[in-house]
Amino acid sequence: MTVKVLIGAQWGDEGKGKITDLLSNEADVVVRYQGGNNAGHTIVVEGEVFKLHMIPSGILYENVECVIGNGVVVSPAVLIGEIDKLKTKGYSVNNLKISNTAHVILPFHEMMDKQQESSRSEGTKIGTTSRGIGPAYTDKVSRRGVRVKDLLVKETLETLINGRNWTEILDVTQADVDKVIADYYAYGQIIKPYIIDSVNYLHEQYAQKKRILLEGAQGTMLDVDFGTYPFVTSSNPTAGGACTGSGLGPTMIREVIGVAKAYITRVGEGPFPTELTNETGEMLRTKGGEFGTTTGRPRRCGWLDGVILKYSVNVNSLTSLAITKLDILSGFKEIKICTAYEINGKKIDYLPTDAKELSLVKPIYQTFAGWEEDLTGIREYSALPANCKKYIKEIENIAGIPANIISIGNSRDKTIYRYV
Ligand code: GDP
Ligand code: IMO
Ligand code: MG
């Protein structure tokens, strides 16, 4: 009877897809609890690359039930496309389940997202993924959203979609609106076999002592409450979101695993204290292949930020870490970790939660000697280069929790397990 939560400890793209896929081997149920197709989770199995935007990263295990939880915003077209792609690759997808109360992203939400972004002036742009995430969640909290179950009742769907005067707020005609209603009703019919009452289902699974893994999307620093607001997403990727986005309560959760890259990246706008806009940053981007899974945008790169890591441990109650992409750091002469910030001549060791203040801090670094060895063939912790072990040890010291998983390549096998 274990419930584990896996979250991104930074600004997303930490390698949650890979680690969720690994942990799915020891799970009965995997649940996405927030976000939508702004997420891009990559899994590599025997050279084949899977990029999942809507479907939980446990889907490649036929005996693992995969649930899109109530806290997710669903793009039916993207979801159906993903189901079809997986089927083409030989996966049945019979293990997929979709919450009846998850909210639905409409094409109008996407249009609004793009329109809002283009009307923002320089310095206030968020750099969203333009997938309609913000507007869809806005409609949810405004209590006028369309839920997955509404796709199944034509009259309800018509009433909800027509209730929004889209023709007045967007450059669309009533014929466009009617087409969306027809398309979405048709999507509903396609996904109908997967739709369930996820809250009751998850409680049944829990009662039957099933092992449940809750998979976060985005990351702590993109959380609408705990991230660099307003340069954030519109949901709660942090551990609290796992409860509200699934219906499982906080005392059921036994472990919270934070996935952290061995350095740090960010896509989109907003403060980033350890960003490297020099050759070193370029080297991290090139070696790490740091281009967005969803939008293809170059990711901003920088040294690991220990202040953010500690903050992430705190706001998520992290119990252990999975450190990813350590292999990318081979060949750097020096590697740095930010251990504190300086602001107005004062040293601080906590994260200012105000984005403006965070944009003014200067990182204070601890420097480590690098290593030359290629790590991708190593499977035992003891075989890692001494300097690499020192680096991991310091990350554990800062976080105050063990790094139980060390990832040294994108595929399943390139992983070192510790303390297990
Ligand atoms: P997610 O959004 O957190 O699931 O992460 P993404 O899939 O967007 O980005 C992580 C990228 O790094 C993907 O291309 C992964 O295949 C890749 N990756 C994950 N772990 C490792 C690792 O340990 N080493 C290397 N080289 N690549 C990794
Ligand atoms: P995964 O799950 C990295 C970023 C966007 C933008 C901000 C708001 O793959 O880690 P949104 O479209 O959500 O309104 O955009 O959040 N963002 C991500 N960055 N990884 C993600 O997901 C992201 N999802 C959203 O770039 O800065
Ligand atoms: Mg990603």
Side-chain angles (χ1 to χ4, degrees):
M1 188 172 58
T2 60
V3 179
K4 292 181 190 176
V5 180
L6 179 145
I7 59 101
Q10 298 161 334
W11 270 294
D13 302 328
E14 298 91 346
K16 298 177 294 294
K18 172 183 165 165
I19 306 299
T20 301
D21 169 70
L22 286 178
L23 298 178
S24 298
N25 196 26
E26 294 168 4
D28 300 302
V29 186
V30 177
V31 190
R32 270 277 308 268
Y33 59 82
Q34 47 69 235
N37 56 315
N38 48 349
H41 296 183
T42 316
I43 306 172
V44 182
V45 184
E46 286 161 15
E48 195 163 5
V49 180
F50 299 82
K51 290 177 192 282
L52 300 171
H53 302 284
M54 288 281 7
I55 296 184
S57 302
I59 198 71
L60 303 186
Y61 299 81
E62 287 210 343
N63 55 341
V64 173
E65 300 301 326
C66 287
V67 181
I68 296 179
N70 60 277
V72 173
V73 282
V74 177
S75 162
V78 171
L79 175 60
I80 293 165
E82 229 160 70
I83 294 172
D84 289 346
K85 223 174 186 171
L86 283 164
K87 281 186 174 167
T88 313
K89 291 187 175 187
Y91 293 87
S92 75
V93 200
N94 289 337
N95 49 338
L96 178 68
K97 295 180 166 42
I98 307 163
S99 174
N100 57 350
T101 55
H103 278 247
V104 172
I105 305 172
L106 300 172
F108 309 128
H109 293 137
E110 272 187 48
M111 293 170 79
M112 284 178 86
D113 194 355
K114 288 175 192 155
Q115 195 185 67
Q116 286 168 3
E117 191 65 7
S118 64
S119 70
R120 287 187 184 108
S121 58
E122 221 35 63
T124 66
K125 285 190 192 300
I126 293 166
T128 72
T129 58
S130 10
R131 297 299 187 266
I133 305 299
Y137 275 117
T138 302
D139 277 355
K140 174 180 175 172
V141 296
S142 300
R143 295 159 295 183
R144 60 189 182 194
V146 176
R147 291 182 293 173
V148 165
K149 63 178 176 184
D150 300 323
L151 298 175
L152 303 177
V153 188
K154 191 97 186 251
E155 299 71 42
T156 310
L157 190 60
E158 271 169 359
T159 309
L160 283 168
I161 295 186
N162 278 328
R164 282 300 308 284
N165 300 337
W166 297 110
T167 53
E168 284 165 33
I169 53 178
L170 290 168
D171 188 18
V172 293
T173 63
Q174 187 55 42
D176 298 324
V177 176
D178 291 343
K179 183 171 182 323
V180 168
I181 294 169
D183 288 350
Y184 273 58
Y185 182 70
Y187 293 148
Q189 295 306 303
I190 298 171
I191 63 171
K192 196 172 173 180
Y194 303 102
I195 301 174
I196 60 158
D197 172 343
S198 61
V199 178
N200 280 314
Y201 172 78
L202 289 173
H203 281 276
E204 271 166 29
Q205 298 299 302
Y206 183 79
Q208 290 171 27
K209 306 198 184 318
K210 295 291 172 62
R211 299 160 300 174
I212 302 173
L213 175 64
L214 296 148
E215 174 188 12
Q218 291 79 53
T220 304
M221 297 302 288
L222 288 170
D223 188 284
V224 69
D225 284 278
F226 301 110
T228 50
Y229 191 92
F231 306 100
V232 290
T233 193
S234 300
S235 68
N236 289 115
T238 47
C243 293
T244 54
S246 71
L248 296 170
T251 57
M252 293 174 167
I253 297 168
R254 287 285 165 272
E255 276 185 50
V256 187
I257 301 153
V259 186
K261 252 179 221 179
Y263 46 99
I264 197 164
T265 62
R266 172 166 207 173
V267 213
E269 305 303 320
F272 181 174
T274 62
E275 181 171 17
L276 296 164
T277 51
N278 56 11
E279 265 177 25
T280 313
E282 195 51 52
M283 192 165 150
L284 284 171
R285 178 157 42 248
T286 310
K287 283 191 74 179
E290 296 297 353
F291 296 89
T293 309
T294 300
T295 57
R297 289 178 291 176
R299 294 175 183 149
R300 300 156 67 191
C301 299
W303 295 124
L304 188 92
D305 190 327
V307 181
I308 285 178
L309 188 63
K310 262 197 310 195
Y311 177 75
S312 194
V313 171
N314 288 345
V315 297
N316 293 294
S317 298
L318 294 186
T319 53
S320 70
L321 289 175
I323 301 176
T324 59
K325 297 195 117 171
L326 194 64
D327 53 303
I328 302 303
L329 294 183
S330 292
F332 283 83
K333 263 203 171 54
E334 285 185 338
I335 297 167
K336 297 185 183 188
I337 298 182
C338 165
T339 52
Y341 299 139
E342 191 195 303
I343 185 161
N344 303 325
K346 212 177 116 202
K347 184 177 165 184
I348 57 169
D349 62 0
Y350 61 86
L351 187 91
T353 48
D354 177 65
K356 186 118 184 97
E357 204 180 333
L358 189 63
S359 71
L360 299 174
V361 304
K362 289 199 171 50
I364 299 174
Y365 287 114
Q366 186 177 346
T367 303
F368 295 80
W371 59 88
E372 285 298 326
E373 294 90 332
D374 174 15
L375 307 184
T376 56
I378 297 175
R379 298 291 173 270
E380 295 293 328
Y381 183 76
S382 57
L384 286 170
N387 284 347
C388 179
K389 281 189 277 198
K390 272 190 204 159
Y391 184 66
I392 296 170
K393 188 114 205 85
E394 187 52 29
I395 296 175
E396 290 184 312
N397 280 343
I398 289 171
I401 51 172
N404 285 349
I405 297 175
I406 311 283
S407 174
I408 32 81
N410 61 8
S411 56
R412 277 181 187 165
D413 57 317
K414 295 195 174 77
T415 312
I416 298 170
Y417 300 89
R418 300 167 69 207
Y419 312 125
V420 280

